[in-house]
Amino acid sequence: MGKDHPDADVYPEATGLALDTVKAHLAESDLKLYSGWFCPFVQRTWISLEEKKLPYQYIEVNPYHKPESLLKLNPRGLVPTLEYHNKPLYESSVLCQFLEDAYPDREPHLLPADPYDRARTRIWADFVTSRIIPSFHRFLQHQGTDGLAEKQTEFLGYIKEFTKEMDEQGPYFLGAEFSLIDIIIAPWAVRLWVFDHFKGGLGIPEKGKGGDDESTWERWRTWLEAIEGRDSVKKTSSDRERFLPIYQKYAEDRAQSELAKATRAGRGVP
């Protein structure tokens, strides 16, 4: 894919707090993150790196204009890709778990010690990838008003199902400690504003107006506030204005990312 790819005109670098984080990680390192600042899958891995305060080198690439250095590591040319002691790894959820395995002495631990809680983490991480993310994109990429309410209802239904599995006290999914399951969904949670901007509203009721679901929505609000306030999330987020042209293409169903194309074809996350 060259510069003539329709999505290759993406803004070339991170902005805001994310740019400060990039500048702090330009030095050569045995651990390299090939990244696209705008990509939510990248943000999963980036949050994990920041949480564990690992030394890493940030390398910005435009995945629609793939450099040879990336293609040598990952033939699909997708981000995030990690280079670990000259060896390649990819798939964002795998990378997050790898960082936990490869650096077991680095805290915080992103996977719980209890085997049952670890299993639940994997179940609901899969739910995010197989249910929430595809429905996010079906809602966002839907054209016209006919059927839009159904896409919204489907998406919010999955959010409620996810929320009902959260620890009652929180604020995070498993309780007081931020963990992998929070990281897996966080990049989409902090992008929910796109529905207000492009689709006439997300549809989550205002505080006190959730009816029979009010306790569920109140728990979601508590979780979301904690996620949005987390340093690692803020430090890997760019200015909202730079996301607008990217998400406008999704909202108009013109985006040509692998995920956008999979959504159009009725498939899940590629």
Side-chain angles (χ1 to χ4, degrees), residues 57 150 155 165 179 188 200 248:
Q57 181 181 359
E150 286 84 352
F155 177 63
E165 291 295 320
S179 70
W188 286 268
Q248 183 168 359

Side-chain angles (χ1 to χ4, degrees), residues 15 29-30 59 70 79 85 102 113 126 141 150 173 176 186 191-193 205 207 221 223 228 236 245 248 265:
T15 54
S29 174
D30 286 336
I59 300 172
L70 175 60
V79 290
H85 295 289
D126 179 75
Q141 291 177 229
E150 286 84 352
F173 187 95
R191 287 163 171 75
L192 289 175
W193 58 268
K207 185 178 178 66
R221 292 184 201 102
W223 177 85
E228 290 177 332
T236 56
Q248 183 168 359

